[in-house]
Amino acid sequence: MAESGKKRIVLGISGGVAAYKAAELVRLFRKAGIDVQVVMTDAACGFITPTTLQALAGRPVFTDMWDARIADNMAHIELSRGADAIVVAPATADFIAKIAHGLADDLLSTLCLARECPLLVAPAMNRQMWENKATQRNIAQLAHDEVSILGPASGDQACGEIGMGRMLEAQQIFDEVSSFLQPRLLTGKRILITAGPTFEAIDPVRGITNRSSGKMGYAIARAALDAGAQVTLISGPTSLAHVPSAGMEHVESANDMFVAVKKHAKSTDIFIAVAAVADYRVEKTSTQKIKKTDSSLTLRLVPNPDILAWVAALPKAPFCVGFAAESQNLLENADAKRRRKKIPLIVANLAQNAIGADDNELTLLDDSGTHTLTRAPKPVLARQLVAHIAKLYKSRKA
Ligand code: CTP
């Protein structure tokens, strides 16, 4: 049994070349503190050995229905008891066909049939097998039976062909499964997030911007989606990929961001202002490219609207969360900002640690004091922050 609070999954491996990726997947789960019980089909053992997976998972691997290591000989029930999910990766066309029809002629298919937990499968097969009507019928049946289908992807295949049917990479499967395992703390809540820098044009080719990458705001959007929220992400210019399932609006300047936020603010429950909004913009943007001369050039800057302060001052303001990136006197400056903007929670971080980095360290300041989130990758911090926001939001509502 898993320690209380610790997630536990059964990783089923069926017989396809992509079985080699299962080794990396086990490593990723273990690294994230998730217990993994590996179960393999006979065919899978032809591609990768149980010994490798046992070493990575840190527990015995099971392949046989009649394994005497299970005291009551009920491996098909015992192994998934208490599991948070069964993940089959790779799931071959044959294995998918079996579970679509409720067949149970080996340990893994029997575990799938006898499960009490959700089932996720990552198909892996040659492109003709994937496109075959029988496979598509089976996949549709699994989706109808509320089995989650992860992938497949398109690309080079072991058979030398190119097309749909390649198993997702281990990291992608890990990301999808860990999203799936998140507690749904914000089900039904509408969350509005600003992220990234803004760009204040000087002329058609130049502008003022900052080093914000948008990584934290995008990670919070993903974490909020995983927590069951409906997310709108208003993003300044970044090089990040679209967040699937979020309503996205791309903006450039602080004024554009303000217009987009005003459109959504009144119908949101929680507003998280992560964007590094330029405090000033050029008073008069030149419509033509400014030409170089020998004399100095003065740009007059005027203040931008404070988006967060505007939202926080609405008569029925959503629960507002601000960010403070400071280069010195972190807590004093952040606390002053929280009071000035009249918001319940501010997230303080050192600008020199945060901007553009993949990791960060955060201090949360609210009415109950300070709370530190120690250095971790931004997606991990985003989940912890979303959990803290959900807790504060619920206690306010109560
Ligand atoms: N913010 C905003 N609109 C602005 C400026 C900032 O919504 N025009 C939000 C940011 O998204 C962040 C918080 O306000 O949540 C940051 O507060 P702010 O006082 O603007 O921080 P700095 O710009 O860092 O202020 P200063 O330069 O004075 O430190």
Side-chain angles (χ1 to χ4, degrees):
M1 272 309 256
E3 287 166 33
S4 73
K6 203 168 184 195
K7 298 288 181 194
R8 174 169 180 265
I9 62 155
V10 172
L11 176 64
I13 307 175
S14 63
V17 185
Y20 77 92
K21 294 184 186 172
E24 175 66 3
L25 187 54
V26 173
R27 205 187 62 78
L28 291 170
F29 283 133
R30 290 290 309 278
K31 203 168 135 209
I34 298 171
D35 279 342
V36 189
Q37 173 61 64
V38 177
V39 175
M40 300 172 72
T41 64
D42 280 346
C45 300
F47 289 94
I48 184 167
T49 69
T51 318
T52 304
L53 291 151
Q54 172 161 345
L56 292 167
R59 58 169 68 220
V61 169
F62 288 82
T63 55
D64 180 11
M65 284 270 267
W66 314 114
D67 198 310
R69 287 172 295 179
I70 300 283
D72 60 5
N73 243 333
M74 295 271 182
H76 65 290
I77 291 172
E78 283 302 322
L79 292 176
S80 66
R81 196 164 271 173
D84 295 286
I86 299 178
V87 180
V88 181
T92 60
D94 176 64
F95 190 78
I96 285 168
K98 255 194 217 174
I99 51 173
H101 290 86
L103 296 179
D105 63 353
D106 63 5
L107 178 58
L108 185 55
S109 53
T110 312
L111 271 171
C112 290
L113 193 63
R115 75 185 187 278
E116 281 184 318
C117 60
L119 173 62
L120 299 90
V121 298
M125 66 199 73
N126 146 284
R127 101 182 144 76
Q128 275 104 347
M129 290 168 95
W130 173 253
E131 284 161 11
N132 190 293
K133 283 188 178 145
T135 304
Q136 288 305 311
R137 229 177 12 248
N138 293 333
I139 287 287
Q141 183 62 51
L142 289 187
H144 180 264
D145 295 345
E146 291 175 14
V147 173
S148 300
I149 318 291
L150 313 180
S154 179
D156 291 338
Q157 303 205 309
C159 55
E161 296 191 17
I162 298 174
M164 198 69 168
R166 230 179 109 88
M167 189 169 87
L168 295 183
E169 296 306 321
Q171 183 69 50
Q172 292 170 300
I173 297 174
F174 169 78
D175 289 344
E176 299 236 19
V177 174
S178 36
S179 296
F180 185 86
L181 295 176
Q182 293 312 304
R184 299 285 185 262
L185 299 171
L186 292 170
T187 301
K189 298 288 166 255
R190 293 158 305 175
I191 303 209
L192 179 63
I193 300 170
T194 61
T198 61
F199 180 89
E200 310 298 327
I202 296 173
D203 69 13
V205 293
R206 305 180 182 98
I208 302 171
T209 186
N210 60 65
R211 294 182 193 276
S212 166
S213 63
K215 285 177 191 164
M216 193 66 209
Y218 278 54
I220 293 172
R222 283 199 189 85
L225 284 165
D226 293 347
Q230 191 187 313
V231 174
T232 302
L233 176 59
I234 298 173
S235 173
T238 73
S239 56
L240 301 175
H242 196 97
V243 177
S245 311
M248 288 217 51
E249 288 201 29
H250 293 279
V251 296
E252 197 172 88
S253 67
N255 265 331
D256 297 342
M257 191 172 271
F258 192 29
V259 169
V261 167
K262 280 203 258 185
K263 207 165 62 185
H264 297 281
K266 288 173 194 153
S267 56
T268 197
D269 299 300
I270 299 174
F271 175 51
I272 313 176
V274 196
V277 185
D279 290 327
Y280 297 92
R281 67 179 180 279
V282 179
E283 186 176 37
K284 278 200 190 93
T285 304
S286 170
T287 51
Q288 300 301 328
K289 189 177 168 207
I290 299 171
K291 300 306 284 180
K292 177 174 63 187
T293 64
D294 286 340
S295 52
S296 61
L297 174 71
T298 303
L299 289 174
R300 191 175 149 76
L301 302 180
V302 292
N304 271 328
D306 189 322
I307 303 170
L308 175 56
W310 182 87
V311 176
L314 284 172
K316 284 187 186 156
F319 182 88
C320 286
V321 181
F323 267 69
E326 305 293 338
S327 58
Q328 57 181 347
N329 303 331
L330 178 64
L331 298 187
E332 296 85 329
N333 285 340
D335 198 42
K337 223 165 253 186
R338 181 171 94 90
R339 289 172 199 287
R340 198 167 62 239
K341 303 203 187 208
K342 299 190 177 63
I343 53 174
L345 173 64
I346 198 153
V347 182
N349 56 169
L350 282 170
Q352 52 271 39
N353 286 352
I355 307 265
D358 290 327
D359 288 12
N360 199 0
E361 187 180 322
L362 305 176
T363 307
L364 317 185
L365 290 89
D366 56 40
D367 286 344
S368 65
T370 62
H371 183 87
T372 303
L373 303 184
T374 53
R375 176 157 289 281
K378 287 180 175 174
V380 174
L381 292 174
R383 285 197 176 131
Q384 294 169 345
L385 176 60
V386 162
H388 190 84
I389 292 171
K391 197 172 77 192
L392 285 187
Y393 175 78
K394 280 189 185 137
S395 66
R396 287 220 155 201
K397 286 278 153 195

